[in-house]
Amino acid sequence: MSYNHQHLLGISGLTTDEIFFLLETSQKFVEISERSVKKVPALRGKTIVNLFLEPSTRTRTSFEIAGKRLSADVINISGSSSSTTKGETLIDTVLNIKSMRPDVIVLRHAYSGSCELLKKLVPNTRIINAGDGLHEHPTQALLDALTIKQELGTLKDLTVTLVGDALRSRVARSNILLHKTLGNKVRVVAPPTIAHSHFEDLGVEVFYDLKKALPGSDVVMSLRMKHEYQKDYYVPNLDEYAVNFLLTESIISKYCPSAKILAPGPINRGTEITSELADGPRSLIFKQVTNGVAVRMAVLFLLVAGKNDYSPSEEEV
Amino acid sequence: MSYNHQHLLGISGLTTDEIFFLLETSQKFVEISERSVKKVPALRGKTIVNLFLEPSTRTRTSFEIAGKRLSADVINISGSSSSTTKGETLIDTVLNIKSMRPDVIVLRHAYSGSCELLKKLVPNTRIINAGDGLHEHPTQALLDALTIKQELGTLKDLTVTLVGDALRSRVARSNILLHKTLGNKVRVVAPPTIAHSHFEDLGVEVFYDLKKALPGSDVVMSLRMKHEYQKDYYVPNLDEYAVNFLLTESIISKYCPSAKILAPGPINRGTEITSELADGPRSLIFKQVTNGVAVRMAVLFLLVAGKNDYSPSEEEV
Amino acid sequence: MSYNHQHLLGISGLTTDEIFFLLETSQKFVEISERSVKKVPALRGKTIVNLFLEPSTRTRTSFEIAGKRLSADVINISGSSSSTTKGETLIDTVLNIKSMRPDVIVLRHAYSGSCELLKKLVPNTRIINAGDGLHEHPTQALLDALTIKQELGTLKDLTVTLVGDALRSRVARSNILLHKTLGNKVRVVAPPTIAHSHFEDLGVEVFYDLKKALPGSDVVMSLRMKHEYQKDYYVPNLDEYAVNFLLTESIISKYCPSAKILAPGPINRGTEITSELADGPRSLIFKQVTNGVAVRMAVLFLLVAGKNDYSPSEEEV
């Protein structure tokens, strides 16, 4: 198996084999962050540009740590998507960065499809999509999958249930694409303003009642109800949302007692999930974050080093 | 002697021996920054997260330079304390960062006690307090003490006089705790709205008149009169403050002619201190900044390397 | 030949020999960024502070990449020129940074002459001017010259024509000084509110009509018409400017068919230059950006390493 793409723009387009190869490679990088000297020389002398044109602390930090643990030089550029510096277009910004000879550009951007645009207009540049609008966030879906695989031992024959605002979630979208590719069942449960019937076009089962959606779930993924989006009247208010959709230990233990809980974070405690559940034994939330560094190390390595086989366990700085 | 704590949260709780051990270790690191190749491999492969949730240039830069001169990977995260990214709590922010396996988190936060909170709620994470609200700023007090020791040859039997807004100064608080632990005399001189009698509970002598406070002082520390605080009517205005409390070469040479001048910076020239004094021979202001890098190298080394003995003079990259 | 200055504050004051020496040294560094492992150990253990007190992505990124490819530790400090942190003056900010023992400070500042001020008031600190107000931006003029030399094979007997807002452009100023020092002809063409007759005092020919300015030009440099400046009524509006001064492939191929096109960027497509021209074969715009990294590596190396001879081609990390 191998990963022979120049980019990682989304889960869309990846084969089952490629997904498994990415996860297996990621698993190899997990142990590096547990070492006393948590660093390998794999990308020494390589330049990674983190171009984050939408606010992000967690994902930027994860990619930065991943790059540095591979011994790469990491350059952070932050800004906003709507008004890039001095009115320059995204394409010119990337053309300029490309001229400084980075080995890969990690892009976070508020506009859906911005990474695809760059793939067409700025060829010969390696791009990793770190979240583009409402479109995709592939490394998040991969780190979720790696975490599930570690805990459940398999990524086959699963039922994955997404709770909350799947409509405006690139994390939901990438997860749906990943699990449908792997042949798993995916459910979305949320108020009807969010859980539209057109999720069914993606092969997803739609529910409006948590008690009906949870039974049989192996994994329950709590999605963010972004405060700013609720002004669009998708839900009357977040307190009412919580009355019907708040994930608690008692509801999980009643309806799907063996389920594991994931959340891409940041979590709104008391709105989406209780602290008892988020901090309890079935929660994999912080394990996801740990795996995020490993997944990003693997993706950076595969794209930049141009090698598909690597044994980090044999290397140290 | 040794430093066997997991954290450096404050001067409070440190013994005299521990303070002296921290200062002796700091002194060892001073020469590294004077080398042509100013770097040792001590923390190679370690990850330092600078989590600065309150604006800071000087202290963040000092910790970043310290970390890099120890060969660590340094990750900067900045933000504001009141509205952390996307509504996430400080505890969740730190739990997430912790999951990425940093070796130490350096925290600057606007809320007093935030570091103590983390010590309780996020155990097994090494934390250095880089200033928490009005509470403590231990590395500042240590670098002040190191500077005094280098200049006066001793930290015993001193009289240290703090001039200005000691009430809302974590620097003052950490210095008071340090010098009272070492058995030195500490004075605070300021308008009565600032120099409350409850400073006496800390063993500090309170003065309202500079001419009465200065005689006998070995060290005079000029504290910041923050413009934004004066809206609270602690002083009618800063010009009036300056009439009574401005530190000048002439007043120092008259009342405590052998005294050295320290200031944590940034200084308000003409309000707290004259340029003649700040830039003159008795000023240690910029020497403090130089020592700051050494103190932070020492603290980072002791917490992260887990070794108490180290001879940086024998090492080079 | 050699470069024996402590600073690079501007093109002003450099001799022809020094300019050529800087360009020859820069040329040596070009190939490093084309390597697979794009890094040399030249500045290992050195500290570079990027003090950018005016917004900049491109120049800051270029200096950061340059520093890291030389193996230096690079510290970024950003802020605004008018309100530096907590009211501190630029001089105190730099005195403080200097106390942390950086090997060089790269300064971007909104005030013309700020670098000269520091040279006087903070001696013994190496400073590179990365753009000071309307004054100079020497590394930009050097990278422009390096690009011209690579393309035309010479920097002698050229006619260099600047189109657009040369009045409020430090790039224009540094280019004028460079090409006048080398004995080249320099022209400025713009509306009369911009192309003042006092450009003639610098030995520049002034034109108000593109068709008269272009003939004989070897190099045409498209300068930014900053939107924010047009509020000052230098031109009625940018659309009217474009009617008369927009650079197109057809006008260039008619009036100076062998000319090369440069632009410091970011470019306003459709206002200053068409996409056909900017992205076409005579455009050197992105080659300039690539050369920018090499020029900054050379300048950082010469100032910090204190050596004038270096063969990076013999070195690798």
Side-chain angles (χ1 to χ4, degrees):
Chain A
M1 286 195 297
S2 64
Y3 187 81
N4 296 314
H5 301 270
Q6 193 180 1
H7 308 289
L8 178 66
L9 302 190
I11 298 299
S12 172
L14 297 186
T15 63
T16 299
D17 272 1
E18 285 170 337
I19 291 168
F20 276 111
F21 179 69
L22 286 169
L23 296 177
E24 280 169 34
T25 308
S26 299
Q27 185 61 49
K28 289 187 194 175
F29 283 90
V30 169
E31 59 93 10
I32 295 172
S33 293
E34 308 299 332
R35 296 181 188 179
S36 172
V37 175
K38 34 181 88 65
K39 196 161 187 163
V40 290
L43 298 189
R44 193 163 181 74
K46 306 294 187 182
T47 307
I48 296 168
V49 171
N50 273 344
L51 181 60
F52 276 65
L53 297 178
E54 193 186 48
S56 165
T57 297
R58 178 183 315 244
T59 305
R60 191 269 295 168
T61 302
S62 183
F63 270 107
E64 184 176 353
I65 288 178
K68 288 182 171 173
R69 288 191 180 153
L70 292 165
S71 298
D73 291 322
V74 182
I75 314 290
N76 290 317
I77 304 176
S78 58
S80 70
S81 300
S82 53
S83 66
T84 45
T85 317
K86 298 175 186 171
E88 195 177 47
T89 64
L90 173 64
I91 294 165
D92 273 338
T93 298
V94 172
L95 281 169
N96 269 287
I97 293 170
K98 179 191 171 188
S99 300
M100 299 184 200
R101 304 288 185 261
D103 292 276
V104 65
I105 297 175
V106 180
L107 180 67
R108 161 70 59 102
H109 199 276
Y111 297 169
S112 307
S114 47
C115 291
E116 289 285 343
L117 182 78
L118 291 173
K119 180 186 170 184
K120 284 182 201 149
L121 296 179
V122 194
N124 302 321
T125 299
R126 294 188 195 95
I127 295 168
I128 297 173
N129 182 356
D132 64 326
L134 305 181
H135 180 230
E136 282 233 39
H137 191 356
T139 56
Q140 178 72 42
L142 289 167
L143 72 89
D144 292 342
L146 181 64
T147 308
I148 294 167
K149 186 153 193 295
Q150 288 169 355
E151 289 296 310
L152 302 185
T154 181
L155 279 166
K156 301 264 182 196
D157 301 320
L158 298 180
T159 297
V160 177
T161 300
L162 311 181
V163 185
D165 193 354
L167 191 61
R168 281 147 303 177
S169 169
R170 52 196 173 207
V171 175
R173 195 178 166 81
S174 288
N175 264 289
I176 290 168
L177 291 164
L178 184 144
H179 287 288
K180 293 314 293 179
T181 300
L182 299 189
N184 293 321
K185 283 186 190 152
V186 182
R187 298 174 180 170
V188 164
V189 54
T193 44
I194 289 171
H196 290 176
S197 60
H198 46 53
F199 273 106
E200 292 168 5
D201 299 343
L202 296 168
V204 172
E205 290 176 276
V206 173
F207 294 82
Y208 310 126
D209 183 344
L210 201 53
K211 292 166 191 162
K212 292 185 180 160
L214 292 180
S217 300
D218 300 292
V219 172
V220 177
M221 202 172 289
S222 171
L223 299 174
R224 267 170 64 69
M225 292 294 294
K226 295 192 187 178
H227 290 252
E228 61 273 27
Y229 284 158
Q230 309 321 325
K231 293 172 196 151
D232 300 336
Y233 305 106
Y234 286 97
V235 295
N237 61 63
L238 289 173
D239 290 339
E240 185 179 306
Y241 172 85
V243 167
N244 292 302
F245 295 97
L246 177 67
L247 290 169
T248 65
E249 175 54 35
S250 66
I251 201 166
I252 295 291
S253 59
K254 180 170 178 185
Y255 290 98
C256 50
S258 65
K260 297 293 180 183
I261 305 297
L262 277 76
I267 57 175
N268 294 326
R269 292 166 180 266
T271 297
E272 303 149 4
I273 189 168
T274 59
S275 285
E276 185 193 13
L277 186 58
D279 300 331
R282 66 171 82 243
S283 165
L284 306 177
I285 294 176
F286 296 111
K287 190 156 193 173
Q288 289 172 269
V289 179
T290 303
N291 281 326
V293 174
V295 164
R296 281 143 192 157
M297 288 177 82
V299 173
L300 288 168
F301 175 80
L302 289 171
L303 292 186
V304 174
K307 290 190 289 189
N308 276 303
D309 56 325
Y310 182 57
S311 298
S313 62
E314 295 166 16
E315 288 222 312
E316 55 183 47
V317 287
Chain B
M1 287 195 296
S2 64
Y3 187 80
N4 295 314
H5 301 270
Q6 193 181 0
H7 309 288
L8 179 66
L9 302 190
I11 299 299
S12 173
L14 297 185
T15 63
T16 299
D17 272 1
E18 285 170 339
I19 291 169
F20 276 112
F21 178 68
L22 287 168
L23 295 176
E24 279 170 34
T25 308
S26 299
Q27 184 60 50
K28 289 188 194 173
F29 283 91
V30 168
E31 59 93 11
I32 294 172
S33 294
E34 307 299 332
R35 296 181 189 178
S36 172
V37 175
K38 33 182 89 67
K39 196 161 188 163
V40 289
L43 298 190
R44 192 165 181 73
K46 306 294 186 182
T47 307
I48 296 168
V49 171
N50 273 344
L51 180 60
F52 276 65
L53 298 178
E54 193 186 49
S56 164
T57 297
R58 179 185 312 245
T59 305
R60 191 269 296 169
T61 302
S62 183
F63 270 107
E64 184 176 353
I65 289 178
K68 289 181 170 172
R69 291 191 180 153
L70 292 165
S71 298
D73 291 322
V74 182
I75 314 289
N76 289 317
I77 304 175
S78 59
S80 70
S81 300
S82 52
S83 66
T84 45
T85 317
K86 299 175 185 170
E88 194 176 48
T89 63
L90 173 63
I91 294 165
D92 273 338
T93 298
V94 172
L95 281 169
N96 268 288
I97 294 169
K98 181 192 169 187
S99 300
M100 299 184 199
R101 305 287 184 261
D103 292 276
V104 65
I105 297 175
V106 179
L107 180 68
R108 161 71 59 102
H109 199 277
Y111 297 169
S112 308
S114 46
C115 292
E116 290 285 343
L117 182 78
L118 292 172
K119 180 186 170 183
K120 285 183 199 149
L121 297 180
V122 194
N124 301 322
T125 300
R126 295 187 195 94
I127 295 168
I128 297 173
N129 183 355
D132 64 326
L134 306 181
H135 180 228
E136 283 233 38
H137 191 356
T139 56
Q140 178 72 41
L142 289 167
L143 72 89
D144 292 342
L146 181 64
T147 308
I148 293 167
K149 187 154 191 298
Q150 287 170 355
E151 288 297 309
L152 302 186
T154 181
L155 280 165
K156 302 264 182 195
D157 302 320
L158 299 179
T159 297
V160 177
T161 300
L162 312 180
V163 184
D165 193 353
L167 192 60
R168 279 147 304 177
S169 168
R170 53 197 171 207
V171 175
R173 195 177 166 83
S174 289
N175 265 288
I176 291 168
L177 290 165
L178 185 143
H179 287 289
K180 293 313 294 180
T181 300
L182 300 188
N184 292 321
K185 284 186 190 152
V186 182
R187 298 172 180 171
V188 164
V189 54
T193 44
I194 289 171
H196 290 176
S197 60
H198 46 52
F199 273 107
E200 292 168 4
D201 299 342
L202 296 168
V204 171
E205 291 177 275
V206 173
F207 294 83
Y208 311 125
D209 183 344
L210 202 52
K211 292 166 191 162
K212 292 185 179 158
L214 292 180
S217 301
D218 300 291
V219 172
V220 176
M221 202 173 288
S222 171
L223 300 174
R224 267 172 62 70
M225 292 295 294
K226 296 192 187 177
H227 290 252
E228 62 273 27
Y229 285 157
Q230 309 321 324
K231 293 173 195 152
D232 300 335
Y233 306 107
Y234 287 97
V235 296
N237 61 63
L238 289 173
D239 290 338
E240 186 180 304
Y241 172 84
V243 168
N244 291 302
F245 295 97
L246 177 68
L247 290 169
T248 65
E249 175 56 33
S250 67
I251 200 166
I252 295 293
S253 58
K254 181 169 177 187
Y255 290 98
C256 49
S258 64
K260 297 293 182 183
I261 305 297
L262 277 77
I267 57 175
N268 295 325
R269 291 166 181 267
T271 297
E272 302 148 4
I273 189 168
T274 59
S275 285
E276 184 193 13
L277 186 57
D279 301 330
R282 64 172 83 242
S283 166
L284 306 177
I285 293 176
F286 297 112
K287 191 155 191 174
Q288 289 172 268
V289 179
T290 303
N291 281 326
V293 175
V295 164
R296 280 143 192 158
M297 289 177 82
V299 173
L300 288 168
F301 175 80
L302 289 170
L303 292 187
V304 174
K307 290 189 289 187
N308 276 303
D309 56 324
Y310 182 58
S311 297
S313 62
E314 295 167 15
E315 289 222 311
E316 56 183 46
V317 286
Chain C
M1 287 195 297
S2 64
Y3 187 80
N4 297 314
H5 301 270
Q6 192 181 1
H7 308 289
L8 178 65
L9 302 190
I11 298 300
S12 172
L14 297 185
T15 65
T16 299
D17 273 1
E18 285 171 337
I19 290 168
F20 277 112
F21 178 68
L22 286 169
L23 295 176
E24 280 169 34
T25 309
S26 298
Q27 184 61 48
K28 289 187 193 175
F29 283 91
V30 168
E31 58 93 11
I32 295 172
S33 294
E34 308 299 332
R35 295 181 189 180
S36 172
V37 174
K38 31 183 91 66
K39 195 161 188 162
V40 289
L43 297 190
R44 192 164 182 73
K46 306 294 187 182
T47 307
I48 296 168
V49 171
N50 272 345
L51 181 60
F52 276 65
L53 298 177
E54 194 186 48
S56 164
T57 297
R58 178 184 313 244
T59 306
R60 191 268 297 168
T61 302
S62 183
F63 270 108
E64 183 176 353
I65 288 177
K68 289 182 170 173
R69 289 190 181 155
L70 292 165
S71 299
D73 292 321
V74 182
I75 314 289
N76 289 317
I77 304 175
S78 59
S80 71
S81 300
S82 53
S83 67
T84 46
T85 317
K86 298 175 186 169
E88 194 177 49
T89 64
L90 173 64
I91 294 165
D92 273 338
T93 298
V94 172
L95 281 169
N96 268 287
I97 294 169
K98 180 191 170 188
S99 300
M100 299 184 199
R101 304 289 185 261
D103 292 276
V104 65
I105 297 175
V106 180
L107 181 67
R108 160 71 58 102
H109 200 276
Y111 297 169
S112 307
S114 47
C115 291
E116 289 285 344
L117 182 78
L118 291 172
K119 180 186 171 184
K120 285 182 199 149
L121 297 180
V122 194
N124 301 321
T125 300
R126 295 187 195 95
I127 295 168
I128 296 173
N129 182 356
D132 65 325
L134 306 181
H135 180 228
E136 283 233 38
H137 191 358
T139 57
Q140 178 72 41
L142 289 166
L143 71 90
D144 293 342
L146 181 65
T147 308
I148 294 167
K149 188 154 193 295
Q150 288 170 354
E151 288 296 310
L152 302 185
T154 181
L155 279 166
K156 301 265 182 196
D157 302 320
L158 299 179
T159 297
V160 177
T161 300
L162 311 181
V163 185
D165 193 354
L167 192 60
R168 281 147 302 178
S169 169
R170 52 196 172 208
V171 175
R173 195 177 167 82
S174 288
N175 264 288
I176 290 168
L177 291 165
L178 185 143
H179 286 288
K180 294 313 294 179
T181 300
L182 300 189
N184 293 320
K185 284 187 191 152
V186 182
R187 298 173 180 171
V188 163
V189 54
T193 44
I194 289 171
H196 289 175
S197 59
H198 45 54
F199 273 107
E200 293 168 4
D201 298 343
L202 296 168
V204 171
E205 290 177 275
V206 174
F207 294 83
Y208 311 125
D209 183 343
L210 202 51
K211 292 166 192 162
K212 292 185 180 159
L214 292 180
S217 300
D218 300 292
V219 172
V220 177
M221 202 173 289
S222 171
L223 299 174
R224 265 170 64 68
M225 292 295 293
K226 295 192 188 179
H227 290 251
E228 62 273 26
Y229 285 157
Q230 308 323 324
K231 293 171 195 153
D232 299 335
Y233 305 108
Y234 286 96
V235 296
N237 61 63
L238 289 173
D239 289 339
E240 186 179 306
Y241 172 85
V243 168
N244 292 303
F245 295 97
L246 177 68
L247 290 170
T248 65
E249 175 54 34
S250 67
I251 201 167
I252 295 292
S253 59
K254 180 169 179 187
Y255 290 98
C256 50
S258 65
K260 297 292 181 183
I261 305 298
L262 277 77
I267 57 175
N268 294 325
R269 291 167 181 267
T271 297
E272 302 149 4
I273 189 167
T274 60
S275 285
E276 184 194 13
L277 187 57
D279 300 331
R282 65 171 83 242
S283 166
L284 307 177
I285 293 176
F286 297 111
K287 191 156 193 173
Q288 289 172 268
V289 179
T290 302
N291 281 326
V293 175
V295 164
R296 280 143 193 157
M297 287 177 84
V299 173
L300 288 168
F301 176 80
L302 289 170
L303 291 187
V304 174
K307 290 189 289 189
N308 277 303
D309 56 324
Y310 183 58
S311 298
S313 62
E314 295 166 16
E315 287 223 310
E316 55 184 46
V317 286

